[in-house]
Amino acid sequence: MKRIILRTRNIFFPTALLLILGGTVSARAGAVEICASRLDPADWHELFSKGPIVVPEHIVFQFRGHIFGSLMDPNDQGHSLPGGGWQVSLAEVQRRNSVVRSDQALWESGYLAFMTEKPSTLTRGHPCVSAEVQQVLSEQWGWSKKGIAADQNVYFEIYAVYEDGGVVTSFSDDSNPFFFAAARGEINASVTSTINNFVVLEDALQQSP
């Protein structure tokens, strides 16, 4: 898969956002829960067959939509039928279809995204972890609306990694447990604490309290 890189100029990316106000330091990040998908037992074994999954810093998650199952199965594939459709009531199917149409418009705009600040480790025994993040804003990538409210009913999926002054949207090294999982959409996150701090991936880096 081709590596797609957005280059920026003269960027220094801090590991934390610090703002000094009246001699005090404020750098509270938003918080999320990150989980590996756990649907099919065979897939679960394969997912961790290469060892723990280390989600690195500077990984960009982008809004995907509402959770219909759990964060470990947000699309609720556990209630899907082999020939299509769902093992849920007609009213629930209609509700989901309505929500999907609304989410689709938001997803296509790509207007919400955040980035990890530190590495996090997912294991077979502990497939979910809390992590601190900051919102990512970029006109080029369509991430424009500031602030991401805490809402555990919606989820975000890995979209890219920020490295060497660019945004890379491919994960093609299957020998790496993280790349293997990310390329298959097997790592999801939901926002547990409102994200008000942000970075702007443009010609210059901006910071917020």
Side-chain angles (χ1 to χ4, degrees):
M1 185 179 295
K2 182 179 179 181
R3 291 165 64 85
I4 304 171
I5 301 178
L6 170 66
R7 291 296 179 188
T8 52
R9 298 198 301 270
N10 300 323
I11 286 184
F12 169 73
F13 196 91
T15 56
L17 295 177
L18 300 179
L19 178 67
I20 300 179
L21 297 172
T24 64
V25 176
S26 175
R28 179 167 177 76
V32 302
E33 183 179 28
I34 301 174
C35 289
S37 293
R38 185 176 187 174
L39 178 59
D40 187 283
D43 291 343
W44 187 247
H45 174 76
E46 184 180 19
L47 191 62
F48 289 100
S49 63
K50 298 176 178 63
I53 299 170
V54 178
V55 181
E57 62 182 348
H58 306 166
I59 297 301
V60 177
F61 285 75
Q62 183 170 278
F63 173 85
R64 287 294 298 180
H66 276 74
I67 294 174
F68 295 128
S70 67
L71 187 55
M72 299 178 77
D73 178 19
N75 293 320
D76 196 24
Q77 294 301 318
H79 285 92
S80 63
L81 297 171
W86 303 90
Q87 294 173 318
V88 294
S89 68
L90 177 59
E92 175 62 9
V93 169
Q94 293 173 337
R95 184 191 75 84
R96 293 184 181 197
N97 288 341
S98 175
V99 170
V100 167
R101 286 193 293 269
S102 176
D103 287 345
Q104 184 70 17
L106 294 175
W107 177 72
E108 288 177 352
S109 70
Y111 83 115
L112 292 178
F114 56 76
M115 179 163 53
T116 56
E117 292 192 335
K118 299 177 181 179
S120 300
T121 301
L122 309 176
T123 66
R124 194 193 307 267
H126 296 88
C128 295
V129 65
S130 296
E132 291 189 346
V133 300
Q134 51 197 337
Q135 186 175 10
V136 179
L137 300 178
S138 171
E139 290 186 5
Q140 289 100 318
W141 291 87
W143 304 322
S144 58
K145 185 176 180 180
K146 294 180 181 177
I148 303 177
D151 188 346
Q152 292 179 270
N153 293 313
V154 300
Y155 77 106
F156 291 69
E157 190 175 79
I158 289 178
Y159 179 74
V161 57
Y162 178 83
E163 64 179 18
D164 299 327
V167 176
V168 181
T169 60
S170 66
F171 301 93
S172 56
D173 181 7
D174 281 353
S175 66
N176 180 304
F178 167 72
F179 275 54
F180 179 84
R184 290 158 178 77
E186 297 289 345
I187 301 177
N188 308 300
S190 63
V191 179
T192 56
S193 177
T194 298
I195 306 170
N196 289 318
N197 58 334
F198 64 85
V199 292
V200 180
L201 302 186
E202 307 292 357
D203 291 338
L205 179 69
Q206 299 179 26
Q207 300 183 18
S208 76

